[in-house]
Amino acid sequence: MSNPLVTTLAPVTLPNIDLGRRTLFRHTGKAMLSAAAVAMIGGVAMPTGSASAAPMQGDIDILNVALGLEHEAIAAYQIGAESGLVKGKALDAAKLFQSHHKGHRDALVSTIEKMGGKPVAPKSQADVAKALNAGSLKTQDDVLRLAAKLELGAANAYLGVIPSFSEGMLKQVAARLAADETMHWTALSGVLGLPLPTGPLSFGA
Amino acid sequence: MTRTCQSAALWTALTLLCTPMAAQAADAERGATLYEQRCVACHSLDTSRIGPAHRGVVGRKAGGVPGFAYSPALKASDLVWTEDSLDRWLADPQSVIPGQRMNYRVADAVARADIIAFLKRQSP
């Protein structure tokens, strides 16, 4: 059985692994769910569209809002990279973080689809640039500050939706996504020379 | 809006999480910082992004930003955003408008009050 903690966040297809399906469907009487119908996110099996009803729809809605965030983050890093303002190690880091967001996006899209939902489409890069007021970015620090703001917001967003998931394993996935965003925020803050939070529990309250 | 934790038992349990306990007016300055950290992942004051634009939200009917693709539930709601309804919404949106798509919760009552004070300032 794969260990969810050591698999990557890229969508994994392991049709023989259905960890969790018994507990997931214990109360629904849908125990005949096939292994192939179990979506994988971050190495963790998820219930799919053959299960019923409102709680599932609620979870799909949360994942779709998260997907909107990831689309925006990917576009924001693209805008930053194409601005020509970001160079050297900072550019390398921006590319790495964008690739993480692409991994998040792919994992979310495949999970939403396998749960029977329709993944939201990305907005155009021009729309994102306008919404984020990208025209005001003049220096590398401006770009990194915007990235840090979005990463901190994303970390807090994932932490703030955790109580709303009805599916426990999705809560863990949200926490793992929040951890990635926190790692990005911390690295960006270091480059920008910003202080770390002085108190404990500063995220997600 | 109550700025203290309700029950003594809860108070003891949550001392760490419900930080400044002093009864004081909601702090719109702190609210601005919290808004920056907690809300701007999805919202801006003047542009709709993942969530609708916020300027003018206090006193506005729920689902009132033109062009934003609200959930059917929020669109159909008759709720008007007041300090009270915003406080309940931020504590648990699903309990206020079942079927909404925000799902983001702010557990700390003081943080909610400060954020609402900030939003009020953006709602002349």
Side-chain angles (χ1 to χ4, degrees):
Chain A
M1 200 170 269
S2 80
N3 178 348
L5 293 174
V6 298
T7 54
T8 66
L9 257 165
V12 189
T13 331
L14 298 171
N16 294 325
I17 294 177
D18 61 348
L19 59 135
R21 91 172 187 209
R22 255 160 298 137
T23 46
L24 282 172
F25 293 95
R26 198 168 45 204
H27 304 297
T28 69
K30 294 200 177 195
M32 69 301 181
L33 184 75
S34 80
V38 177
M40 302 295 297
I41 183 165
V44 178
M46 290 307 311
T48 71
S50 59
S52 63
M56 180 85 90
Q57 186 55 48
D59 284 357
I60 292 171
D61 288 345
I62 304 171
L63 294 174
N64 247 330
V65 165
L67 177 57
L69 276 178
E70 298 293 348
H71 282 320
E72 193 187 74
I74 292 162
Y77 277 110
Q78 195 62 32
I79 291 162
E82 289 175 10
S83 71
L85 296 168
V86 186
K87 307 235 153 67
K89 286 212 164 89
L91 184 59
D92 294 343
K95 285 181 182 159
L96 175 67
F97 297 168
Q98 188 195 46
S99 78
H100 293 163
H101 288 292
K102 288 179 175 169
H104 298 169
R105 172 199 62 198
D106 296 346
L108 289 166
V109 165
S110 80
T111 303
I112 290 165
E113 282 173 346
K114 286 174 183 161
M115 289 172 77
K118 187 173 176 300
V120 292
K123 297 193 168 138
S124 75
Q125 197 165 308
D127 281 353
V128 175
K130 192 159 162 269
L132 297 177
N133 196 16
S136 68
L137 303 171
K138 303 285 180 237
T139 65
Q140 171 166 303
D141 277 10
D142 289 346
V143 177
L144 299 184
R145 260 192 298 271
L146 172 64
K149 177 171 112 167
L150 292 175
E151 295 286 7
L152 176 61
N156 282 323
Y158 280 119
L159 293 169
V161 299
I162 286 175
S164 300
F165 278 113
S166 55
E167 174 45 55
M169 285 187 303
L170 287 175
K171 297 183 192 221
Q172 187 189 22
V173 169
R176 295 176 68 201
L177 289 161
D180 271 7
E181 319 302 30
T182 308
M183 176 250 297
H184 299 164
W185 175 81
T186 307
L188 290 163
S189 297
V191 175
L192 286 163
L194 299 174
L196 292 175
T198 48
L201 299 168
S202 65
F203 294 95
Chain B
M1 191 164 306
T2 167
R3 303 194 43 95
T4 51
C5 286
Q6 298 286 350
S7 85
L10 244 174
W11 195 91
T12 320
L14 298 181
T15 311
L16 254 178
L17 299 174
C18 296
T19 17
M21 290 305 258
Q24 57 189 16
D27 181 349
E29 290 304 323
R30 181 168 176 267
T33 306
L34 289 168
Y35 184 83
E36 212 40 32
Q37 296 171 343
R38 307 277 186 260
C39 314
V40 298
C42 299
H43 293 280
S44 299
L45 285 174
D46 295 305
T47 339
S48 290
R49 287 171 39 228
I50 292 134
H54 271 155
R55 198 178 296 285
V57 70
V58 181
R60 187 161 69 202
K61 198 185 106 32
V65 175
F68 181 78
Y70 288 100
S71 63
L74 203 143
K75 192 79 213 161
S77 166
D78 287 330
L79 197 73
V80 171
W81 294 121
T82 61
E83 283 182 44
D84 177 61
S85 60
L86 281 169
D87 185 58
R88 287 183 290 120
W89 170 260
L90 293 178
D92 181 4
Q94 181 69 6
S95 73
V96 178
I97 303 178
Q100 54 69 48
R101 288 188 192 136
M102 174 156 126
N103 288 300
Y104 179 79
R105 304 191 199 186
V106 181
D108 178 359
V110 177
R112 291 199 300 275
D114 292 345
I115 291 168
I116 293 165
F118 167 74
L119 288 175
K120 238 176 122 177
R121 217 191 242 184
Q122 319 306 323
S123 309

